Amino acid sequence: MVIIVKMIKGLLDFDIMDIASKYGKEKFYTASCKGDYNYVGQYLQNGGKPDRDAFIECCKRGYSDLINLFLALTNINVNMKIPHSNGRNILMMSLEI
């Protein structure tokens, strides 16, 4: 009986992906900062808009898996210049970590 209850609880325990609200965008940013590959991937695949700041944080922290995910699933500008970076783009900065 206990096993069945745990299985049902596991099936009902899910998180609704919110890609439109401010809360959903904040959660996406936080997941990007933590390197949560699964959440970021689901967010982008479900139509969530890529966030420039989230991409920058992934690059600054050296999350190469997330950087590849952003590049594969979005049309984010990899040549964007970052203030105080001596003319380097974000991908150049990610290689320095």
Side-chain angles (χ1 to χ4, degrees):
M1 182 69 176
V2 173
I3 294 173
I4 295 172
V5 170
K6 286 183 180 181
M7 288 174 55
I8 292 173
K9 251 181 128 176
L11 291 173
L12 296 177
D13 187 26
F14 63 94
D15 190 21
I16 297 174
M17 177 109 5
D18 180 7
I19 61 173
S21 74
K22 182 179 177 182
Y23 171 74
K25 292 175 185 177
E26 288 173 0
K27 192 170 179 181
F28 171 69
Y29 178 81
T30 302
S32 297
C33 290
K34 290 181 179 179
D36 189 344
Y37 183 85
N38 291 329
Y39 187 86
V40 171
Q42 287 178 349
Y43 181 90
L44 294 173
Q45 286 179 336
N46 287 328
K49 301 283 186 222
D51 181 40
R52 176 182 183 265
D53 294 330
F55 180 66
I56 291 171
E57 286 301 320
C58 290
C59 291
K60 285 181 179 177
R61 296 166 194 255
Y63 296 142
S64 58
D65 290 343
L66 286 179
I67 294 168
N68 290 331
L69 192 64
F70 268 95
L71 295 177
L73 297 177
T74 69
N75 59 353
I76 200 148
N77 181 9
V78 296
N79 293 317
M80 69 178 101
K81 300 294 184 211
I82 306 302
H84 310 293
S85 65
N86 297 326
R88 296 170 293 167
N89 69 25
I90 192 65
L91 291 180
M92 289 177 189
M93 291 178 65
S94 69
L95 296 173
E96 296 175 358
I97 293 183

